[in-house]
Amino acid sequence: MTLDLTALLRERVRDVPDYPRPGVVFKDITPLLADHVAFAGAVDAIVAHRGRGTIDKVVGIEARGFIIAAPVAYHFGAGFVPMRKQGKLPSATFQAAYALEYGEAVLEVHQDALAPGDRVLIVDDVLATGGTVAAAAGLVRRAGAIVSGASVLLELTFLGGRERLPDVAVHSLLAY
Ligand code: AMP
């Protein structure tokens, strides 16, 4: 029997209406992470899409992105680099401000975390409007590294994130 990974992943993403505020349907990936077949399948699918030997560093976006990016980096034989919210990284950082639905946020990466020419994969849980991945891609390029692509567990296509990222090869395992 072959496993229908897409169906399994879809079953393991829980919709939480009106979280964190009214009108938003939050895509809760904790049931997916708690199922070892789904979690391992998602990690393996991300690695298989790019191929081993094609990535030098995997960037994970705080906080759920870290959970997925770390095992992806391990399987690539690549380094893991955290991108964090403002004020969390201890050494000198590059910073990028980006728009949220209400207000702005700042994403940071250590200045010495990426080397010029590094081939970088950006990993997060959800692609919504694309603002977070756009900011992450800007930070990778600021460090002189190359954005090889962005991989997410799921994409909210009705928010148009992919269109906002014409220069990033976006790969998602699930589309809503
Ligand atoms: P965006 O910058 O609009 O693409 O938003 C992506 C970031 O916000 C990701 O780091 C997600 O974790 C989070 N996010 C946005 N919308 C949702 C949602 N409906 N459910 C879960 N996470 C979301």
Side-chain angles (χ1 to χ4, degrees):
M1 195 183 79
T2 54
L3 171 74
D4 184 342
L5 180 67
T6 306
L8 176 65
L9 296 180
R10 204 171 276 277
E11 262 175 43
R12 295 289 184 266
V13 174
R14 172 165 54 200
D15 282 1
V16 183
D18 299 320
Y19 182 88
R21 41 167 206 283
V24 175
V25 178
F26 190 83
K27 296 291 187 190
D28 176 19
I29 63 160
T30 61
L32 185 158
L33 298 174
D35 178 335
H36 76 280
V37 176
F39 187 21
V43 169
D44 290 348
I46 289 171
V47 174
H49 179 78
R50 306 284 171 187
R52 280 183 70 89
T54 63
I55 299 293
D56 301 305
K57 298 270 169 54
V58 178
V59 159
I61 298 177
E62 186 175 7
R64 291 181 294 277
F66 291 175
I67 301 164
I68 306 149
V72 166
Y74 176 84
H75 281 286
F76 269 128
F80 168 78
V81 173
M83 280 197 184
R84 301 205 63 184
K85 288 160 190 155
Q86 194 166 30
K88 302 277 191 178
L89 288 170
S91 192
T93 61
F94 294 127
Q95 307 187 342
Y98 63 106
L100 292 175
E101 242 171 304
Y102 301 109
E104 275 211 333
V106 174
L107 204 58
E108 294 189 323
V109 67
H110 274 146
Q111 287 183 8
D112 60 0
L114 299 169
D118 271 351
R119 297 162 302 171
V120 177
L121 179 67
I122 297 165
V123 172
D124 205 357
D125 61 338
V126 173
L127 181 75
T129 66
T132 305
V133 169
L139 287 173
V140 170
R141 293 183 179 123
R142 174 112 171 259
I146 299 157
V147 179
S148 294
S151 289
V152 294
L153 292 182
L154 64 98
E155 174 181 8
L156 305 177
T157 56
F158 54 90
L159 293 176
R162 192 181 280 268
E163 288 72 53
R164 195 165 162 192
L165 299 162
D167 53 354
V168 178
V170 176
H171 170 235
S172 64
L173 300 182
L174 294 176
Y176 290 84

Coordinates of all heavy atoms in Angstrom, one line a residue, residues 52 76 144 157 175:
R52 N 19.6 16.4 -2.7 CA 20.8 16.6 -1.9 C 22.0 17.2 -2.7 O 22.1 17.0 -3.9 CB 21.3 15.2 -1.3 CG 20.5 14.7 -0.2 CD 21.0 13.4 0.3 NE 22.3 13.5 1.0 CZ 22.5 13.8 2.3 NH1 21.5 13.9 3.1 NH2 23.7 13.9 2.8
F76 N 19.9 17.4 4.3 CA 20.7 18.0 3.2 C 22.2 17.9 3.4 O 23.0 18.1 2.5 CB 20.4 19.5 3.0 CG 19.2 19.7 2.0 CD1 18.2 20.5 2.4 CD2 19.3 19.2 0.8 CE1 17.2 20.8 1.5 CE2 18.2 19.5 -0.1 CZ 17.2 20.3 0.2
G144 N 25.0 38.4 0.7 CA 25.8 38.0 -0.5 C 25.5 36.6 -0.9 O 26.2 36.0 -1.8
T157 N -3.2 30.2 -1.0 CA -3.1 30.7 -2.4 C -3.9 32.0 -2.5 O -3.5 32.9 -3.3 CB -3.5 29.7 -3.4 OG1 -4.8 29.3 -3.2 CG2 -2.5 28.5 -3.4
A175 N -1.7 23.2 -0.9 CA -2.2 24.5 -1.3 C -3.7 24.6 -0.8 O -4.5 23.6 -1.0 CB -2.1 24.6 -2.8

